Amino acid sequence: MDRNLNALEVSKISKEFNGKKAIKRIDFKIKYGEIFGFLGPSGAGKTTTIKMLTGQLKPSTGEAYILGKNVKNINTNIYGKIGLVTDNSGLYDRLTVMENMQVYCKLHNVKKEEADKLLERVGLKDHKKKRADKLSKGMRQRLILARALIHKPELLFLDEPTSGLDPSTSIAIHELLLELKNSGTAIFLTTHNMEEAYKLCDNLALINEGVIVEQGRPKDIILKHNQKQAFQVLLDNDESLVFEEDSKELETLFELIRNRRVASIHSSEPTLEDVFIKLTGRVLQ
Ligand SMILES: Nc1ncnc2c1ncn2[C@@H]1O[C@H](COP(=O)(O)OP(=O)(O)OP(=O)(O)O)[C@@H](O)[C@H]1O
Ligand SMILES: [Mg+2]
């Protein structure tokens, strides 16, 4: 891992399907030890982008480099250094949890003890002997993630890793991802969950209809779009009101304060979802 280089660099890549543009000249970079989020609604182009960056689809135009190699000339050696989790990452259904891990241990020449450690880490230690087709959705997802980590990838692609999972499984996965990040792994994560993106990502891009409409640190994106200060006010009768920073609205608020009607005031800032709606007119979910 050469930490002076970016783990991933994308320069103006586009993808057309039958003359229709699914991705339109997008740019971004991911450093080692960084989680980069790709946040957009269904059909935005998230999976298409992952496929182009992992050699499964050829970009129509533009350049992309993973671990310093042009994705146009990817050879199989690179799969020893990257990990990939998608919704069609299959398991061997007739094999047990441990056997599924062992297939990958052999493939990557990794000791069985690594599989034990990872299964423990994702909470599947007590299910090692269970057949894959007997696992719940959350367990399958955790097994697919454990399997993708067996060779300690330098760059990890995760296509909606927590979609449809219960909150405690999602939290366990988040903790694991933060540990990986701290050990230097670069993580590209797609999601349409803005809370997940806000919590995990160092940088993120908001994508809509194949176009990146905003990118940066989550806090900076919110600050940039927080032009009008707003106040959330709780009244003595538990009624909640929002006042924007303009003189007429503030006069009403002062009147409430003078009449001792106000229980609390908080300044409220937009969420990533609000920013997305403002920029695209669409909701994320
Ligand atoms: N193989 C393909 N052939 C033709 N069109 C495709 C193909 N793959 C994707 N598309 C189109 O490209 C666009 C982006 O699809 P993509 O699967 O990348 O979206 P997504 O952001 O991953 O959505 P979701 O959140 O539902 O997974 C969609 O309009 C889709 O119909
Ligand atoms: Mg997708």
Side-chain angles (χ1 to χ4, degrees), residues 24 30 63 204:
K24 300 168 191 162
I30 310 180
E63 305 289 337
L204 58 87

Side-chain angles (χ1 to χ4, degrees), residues 17-18 20 22 40-49 87 159-160 192:
F17 293 113
N18 314 317
K20 197 170 168 285
S42 183
K46 303 183 297 294
T47 301
T48 303
T49 303
D87 50 6
D159 199 359
E160 312 215 20
H192 41 234

